[in-house]
Amino acid sequence: MALTLKNIIYRKTAEATNTIQYTSNGVTTVIDKFTATNTSSSNAFLSVYLPNPGSTVSDSNLILNTRTIAPRETYSCPELVGQVIPDGGTIVTLAGTANAITISASGTQIL
């Protein structure tokens, strides 16, 4: 068993539409850290889904539900830490406001 620690989502702005941010290709991934920073001057929210392979975004795979993040706040998303993404599974985000939330994640990939 080989373990690789890596940035699975490099710092980027979360889109205001459901967007796949990461796909676990050929490995199982455990989320070690996931942060969301509101860079705007107003409250903004973020939702995060973890659909299994072949699944679509739905309430059944919603992990972070419209979490309001205050202006200039960085939220560490403890709901996501330790979540396991199987081979072919994804991380999908939805920001409530365009250009407001910067996301970043690291994880351990298991081969």
Side-chain angles (χ1 to χ4, degrees):
M1 175 177 7
L3 303 177
T4 304
L5 306 175
K6 68 181 292 185
N7 286 325
I8 56 175
I9 301 173
Y10 290 93
R11 284 154 286 293
K12 67 174 300 264
T13 302
E15 295 82 356
T17 59
N18 285 335
T19 303
I20 296 173
Q21 303 294 353
Y22 173 77
T23 301
S24 189
N25 287 318
V27 294
T28 296
T29 303
V30 178
I31 299 172
D32 296 326
K33 182 82 172 174
F34 192 109
T35 58
T37 302
N38 182 350
T39 58
S40 74
S41 59
S42 301
N43 283 342
F45 77 80
L46 180 69
S47 293
V48 180
Y49 302 82
L50 299 179
N52 285 320
S55 297
T56 58
V57 169
S58 69
D59 287 347
S60 68
N61 50 51
L62 179 62
I63 304 300
L64 185 66
N65 187 10
T66 59
R67 171 58 160 87
T68 299
I69 303 171
R72 300 295 182 205
E73 176 188 5
T74 297
Y75 182 63
S76 293
C77 305
E79 302 88 344
L80 295 168
V81 174
Q83 294 285 340
V84 177
I85 305 166
D87 183 13
T90 59
I91 298 174
V92 177
T93 62
L94 171 63
T97 305
N99 301 315
I101 304 286
T102 299
I103 58 172
S104 177
S106 62
T108 302
Q109 294 179 327
I110 305 164
L111 181 61

